[in-house]
Structure formats: structure tokens, C-alpha cells
Amino acid sequence: MQTIPETGFLDLFQIIGCPAVTPEEAAENKRNGKGLKRPRPATVGVIPVGRSSFLAGVKRGIYPAPVRFGRRTLWRAEDIRKLIQQAV
């Protein structure tokens, strides 16, 4: 599990994690023109839910609302820390 900074912003995949992409999958994605085109290791998130479940929880008010920076959607690290502390 990764650590959450005291302040700052987190991307969705820093919160929920992301699956690994093998070199073979990356090459296939590059040929098809879809998906991630570079290999990457899997990361474990701090909240064990899927992307759609997390975004539905944001919509229902279970999880904190994001902040938009241009085209990016980020969450305040303080809000995620507070959410985790309330769950414990």
C-alpha cells in the first residue's frame, strides 16, 4: 500500500490502484491503438474499490468530491486521509 502525503493532491489511480500492464499487453495495445501503450507495474490503492464504484460513491457523497485542474480530476490528500481515519 502506498502512503498518502500530508498535503497535496492525488490522482484516482493513487487512491484505488491500477493493474499491471505487461510488455506483451503494451505491444498489443499499441497495435490496436487502444489502452496503455507502455508497460507498468501494478500499484495497490489505499481504498480497495474499483473505478466505477469509487466514482459512484463520489456522486452519492460517500467519498470526497474531486477538484478540477483544467482537464485533470484530483482529490485533496487531506480529504482522503480523513476518509480513511473515519473508516478505522
Side-chain angles (χ1 to χ4, degrees):
M1 185 185 303
Q2 70 183 34
T3 59
I4 301 171
E6 292 293 325
T7 61
F9 296 93
L10 300 171
D11 189 89
L12 179 62
F13 292 110
Q14 290 175 296
I15 299 169
I16 64 169
C18 62
V21 176
T22 64
E24 295 80 21
E25 290 171 330
E28 183 67 26
N29 291 343
K30 198 170 191 177
R31 279 192 294 278
N32 294 337
K34 297 187 219 174
L36 296 172
K37 294 161 183 66
R38 286 185 278 174
R40 70 169 184 212
T43 58
V44 178
V46 293
I47 299 176
V49 298
R51 180 180 184 272
S52 58
S53 296
F54 185 80
L55 295 176
V58 169
K59 193 177 246 188
R60 290 194 327 231
I62 297 170
Y63 301 123
V67 177
R68 294 293 306 233
F69 286 107
R71 300 172 94 182
R72 297 199 59 192
T73 303
L74 304 171
W75 282 260
R76 288 182 181 89
E78 298 91 348
D79 294 345
I80 300 301
R81 281 182 163 281
K82 187 174 166 184
L83 175 68
I84 292 170
Q85 288 172 353
Q86 288 173 351
V88 173

